[in-house]
Amino acid sequence: MCGPGLGGGATMTGAATPLRCRACGGGDIRTILDLGALPLANRLPLTSKEPEERFPLVVAVCRDCRLVQLDHGIPPETIFADYPYFSSCSTSWVEHARHFAHTAAQRLALGPSSLVVEIASNDGYLLRHFQAIGVPVLGIEPSTTVAAAARAIGIPTDGRYFGAGTARSLREAGPPPDLVVANNVLAHVPDLDDFLSGLALLLENSGGVLSCEFPHLLRLIKGVQFDTIYHEHFSYFSLLSLERAMKRHGLVVFDLEELPTHGGSLRLWVRHSATTGTETAPRSDGLARIHAAEAAAGLDRDEIYDNFAATVRRCITDLRGFLDVAAANGQRVAAYGAAAKGATLLGACGVTARDIVFVADINPHKQGRSLPGTGIPIVSPDRIFAEKPDRILILPWNLREEIMDQLSGIRAWGGRFVVPIPHVAELV
């Protein structure tokens, strides 16, 4: 029943690929999952008939350092030049950012003489909260669309891609940062070695701290969150693999927090080993807990990856079956949230506008376009209340509570919410 992509012949193989590991440079790379050829998940066509270039979406693991990564080399300029994702469109994410800014400022005693640098600062969703409490900020954001939005609200923003070269120029131009923030950006970096080298340059001999958040690979696997795999996510991190990569650049993780965001994330607190006492400082309970969980799950062995593709196949067959039954019963299904994860999920299952009538999204920059690879039009949420579909498939399932609260009125006509991950479930 499934169309192109995973359902049409995803593979699981132990054959090595030509890829060199993005972190350690090793060549012992093992393919985990082949999702087929899909369009870029955040490249939203203006019409359903607009030609879309497709690229292989293949996931592999380095058997030397255990970094999970994509086997492709799409230039970042192709992906991020006209980027439609605006962080401020999610109220829960903005609140997450506000809370972090206040707690980090307190933890690190940040004030008017401090400096916070955020890499991949998007539309200023986070830095505006530091700025509001009197802490100077600088954003690094190469996407012209969202960088312009940040500058419009008064956030100083450097439009370059971050790496060792950018870090050197920042060190020469001004004082070192007291806090560097890299939230949900590590996965987007094609040259991980250069990026980590840049972080090390900013923190070396400065006494500054890095805080970075990223979706946890262990939660991705256990939660069957394969829809978070798309071309702009080059890497998928465990604590094991990221600590190994950071250590090669003199970066030491000294604390860890578990977060509910993005289906389950980790926040690492990092210093440079040149900081006095860092290498011998006691490690936090959070670090010990995640090290133990990853070891128990076997992230350092092949077996956990060997089972992943079969689980993903079952998940997609589940969704395809739901849509087929809904069509047979005359039920109209719409979706909410033109998120990149939705493009992967629906594209891998061969879903089209015959299955889902539209996808609603609050972001006006996405409305009037279509979801990549599907031909499904993206519309304003008002369309839901005008057309009254029977089921709303929540594509950004990590925001389901926020979305269900916004759209609670669908229950007036008997509408139901549905989430696709880790299996199809109707929500009351």
Side-chain angles (χ1 to χ4, degrees):
M1 289 186 294
C2 290
L6 180 63
T11 60
M12 181 71 154
T13 174
T17 74
L19 176 72
R20 305 296 298 186
C21 177
R22 299 179 190 281
C24 73
D28 190 2
I29 308 295
R30 189 172 189 270
T31 297
I32 299 171
L33 180 67
D34 185 346
L35 288 169
L38 297 177
L40 299 179
N42 272 310
R43 180 66 55 82
L44 307 178
L46 286 169
T47 72
S48 61
K49 296 181 180 180
E50 183 178 321
E52 295 182 84
E53 189 173 4
R54 292 172 178 260
F55 304 89
L57 192 54
V58 181
V59 189
V61 62
C62 174
R63 300 174 88 177
D64 294 325
C65 74
R66 290 292 160 179
L67 178 68
V68 173
Q69 55 205 286
L70 291 192
D71 178 16
H72 69 73
I74 302 174
E77 295 82 1
T78 302
I79 300 174
F80 300 114
D82 183 19
Y83 198 51
Y85 180 76
F86 285 69
S87 297
S88 294
C89 286
S90 170
T91 55
S92 61
W93 188 246
V94 171
E95 175 56 25
H96 172 78
R98 187 199 66 79
H99 183 262
F100 170 76
H102 283 262
T103 56
Q106 184 176 29
R107 175 175 183 163
L108 302 176
L110 302 176
S113 61
S114 307
L115 176 64
V116 175
V117 172
E118 185 184 14
I119 302 165
S121 50
N122 201 264
D123 60 3
Y125 76 102
L126 171 65
L127 292 181
R128 71 187 194 186
H129 298 295
F130 281 106
Q131 197 175 62
I133 57 176
V135 180
V137 301
L138 173 65
I140 311 294
E141 176 53 63
S143 173
T144 55
T145 47
V146 291
R151 295 187 189 102
I153 61 170
I155 304 298
T157 303
D158 187 317
R160 289 174 290 180
Y161 285 95
F162 183 78
T166 301
R168 290 190 193 95
S169 66
L170 290 175
R171 285 183 54 162
E172 293 169 359
D178 299 273
L179 172 63
V180 178
V181 182
N183 288 347
N184 299 297
V185 61
L186 289 172
H188 295 78
V189 177
D191 189 344
L192 185 62
D193 191 64
D194 181 60
F195 190 90
L196 293 177
S197 177
L199 291 177
L201 283 168
L202 286 185
L203 298 178
E204 187 177 16
N205 299 318
S206 72
V209 171
L210 165 68
S211 177
C212 64
E213 297 177 18
F214 56 92
H216 190 195
L217 175 67
L218 184 59
R219 294 291 295 272
L220 185 157
I221 293 173
K222 287 189 171 183
V224 203
Q225 298 168 6
F226 77 97
D227 56 341
T228 61
I229 297 169
Y230 39 95
H231 296 99
E232 68 189 58
H233 285 172
F234 295 92
S235 303
Y236 304 82
F237 295 99
S238 60
L239 175 61
L240 172 71
S241 65
L242 188 52
E243 273 196 310
R244 286 175 173 176
M246 287 184 166
K247 186 176 181 180
R248 283 188 287 273
H249 294 273
L251 299 172
V252 179
V253 181
F254 66 89
D255 197 6
L256 176 151
E257 300 171 53
E258 295 179 75
L259 306 171
T261 53
H262 297 291
S265 297
L266 300 180
R267 176 187 289 150
L268 305 187
W269 293 89
V270 182
R271 287 193 178 97
H272 198 282
S273 59
T275 302
T276 303
T278 295
E279 290 184 300
T280 58
R283 315 300 289 279
S284 73
D285 291 341
L287 276 167
R289 184 170 58 252
I290 296 302
H291 276 303
E294 291 187 350
L299 289 186
D300 58 344
R301 302 189 301 272
D302 288 341
E303 290 80 4
I304 190 171
Y305 307 106
D306 288 343
N307 296 324
F308 188 51
T311 309
V312 170
R313 278 195 292 270
R314 289 194 295 270
C315 181
I316 289 191
T317 298
D318 195 21
L319 176 58
R320 184 70 259 180
F322 161 76
L323 293 171
D324 291 342
V325 169
N329 292 336
Q331 295 178 334
R332 298 177 75 244
V333 179
Y336 187 91
K341 54 170 57 74
T344 293
L345 175 67
L346 301 187
C349 198
V351 173
T352 70
R354 293 189 301 272
D355 305 296
I356 293 177
V357 291
F358 60 77
V359 55
D361 197 286
I362 196 171
N363 185 345
H365 298 275
K366 295 184 177 183
Q367 294 166 13
R369 297 175 176 264
S370 64
L371 201 66
T374 68
I376 301 172
I378 303 171
V379 302
S380 166
D382 295 340
R383 184 88 163 263
I384 292 174
F385 296 93
E387 297 198 14
K388 298 181 172 59
D390 300 287
R391 297 292 183 268
I392 303 293
L393 181 67
I394 300 177
L395 297 178
W397 42 262
N398 53 304
L399 300 175
R400 66 186 186 181
E401 298 299 332
E402 176 183 335
I403 292 167
M404 290 171 64
D405 182 59
Q406 292 172 355
L407 303 179
S408 61
I410 73 166
R411 297 185 178 93
W413 63 82
R416 292 284 190 91
F417 296 103
V418 179
V419 291
I421 299 293
H423 53 78
V424 174
E426 288 196 3
L427 306 177
V428 178

